[in-house]
Amino acid sequence: MTPNARTTGLNLKAKLFRGFSDPSRLSILEALSNGSLTVTEIVEATGLSQSNVSNHLGCLRDCNLVYREQKGSYVYYGLSDERVTRLLYLADEFLADVMKGIYECTRYNVSEEE
């Protein structure tokens, strides 16, 4: 692999993980891991505002992490790939093993209010 190809691959991987790095987007992805939902159902499942959910769904759609499907007068959103659910599960499993280190890490300033 050439240095440019490696850099491109690493940059794409970092961009993918940025999609998972926002607590609101992560909450939406976790809600959708149980099946497709309408925006109203996502709002209820996550406790986020409707405008916040719509904004993040746009981002997640642009990155092909979720799809949008019209069914009658309702629009449903779902995970575009079952591997997203597996990745969320693996993150939970991994986090259980390294939680203390992640919690104490001062380099990732994520507040609990986010």
Side-chain angles (χ1 to χ4, degrees):
M1 179 180 286
T2 67
N4 281 344
R6 178 169 165 71
T7 300
T8 300
L10 290 173
N11 287 338
L12 284 173
K13 194 179 293 184
K15 197 170 185 179
L16 168 68
F17 280 107
R18 277 195 298 274
F20 290 95
S21 70
D22 182 88
S24 295
R25 286 192 296 271
L26 193 54
S27 179
I28 292 167
L29 290 171
E30 289 197 350
L32 294 175
S33 69
N34 296 317
S36 61
L37 300 170
T38 64
V39 170
T40 301
E41 292 168 329
I42 296 168
V43 166
E44 291 171 3
T46 62
L48 300 169
S49 70
Q50 188 272 329
S51 61
N52 196 359
V53 167
S54 293
N55 182 47
H56 286 294
L57 282 170
C59 173
L60 292 167
R61 281 186 61 220
D62 288 347
C63 296
N64 282 335
L65 293 175
V66 301
Y67 68 88
R68 176 182 189 262
E69 181 179 15
Q70 184 86 33
K71 291 182 183 177
S73 60
Y74 294 96
V75 175
Y76 285 86
Y77 292 86
L79 298 178
S80 61
D81 193 303
E82 70 180 41
R83 291 174 292 183
V84 174
T85 300
R86 291 196 336 241
L87 185 57
L88 294 171
Y89 174 80
L90 285 171
D92 286 340
E93 192 176 76
F94 180 70
L95 188 57
D97 292 337
V98 298
M99 189 177 313
K100 184 176 187 289
I102 297 293
Y103 180 77
E104 293 175 354
C105 181
T106 59
R107 296 179 184 260
Y108 299 151
N109 290 325
V110 176
S111 70
E112 291 185 19
E113 293 89 43
E114 292 182 342

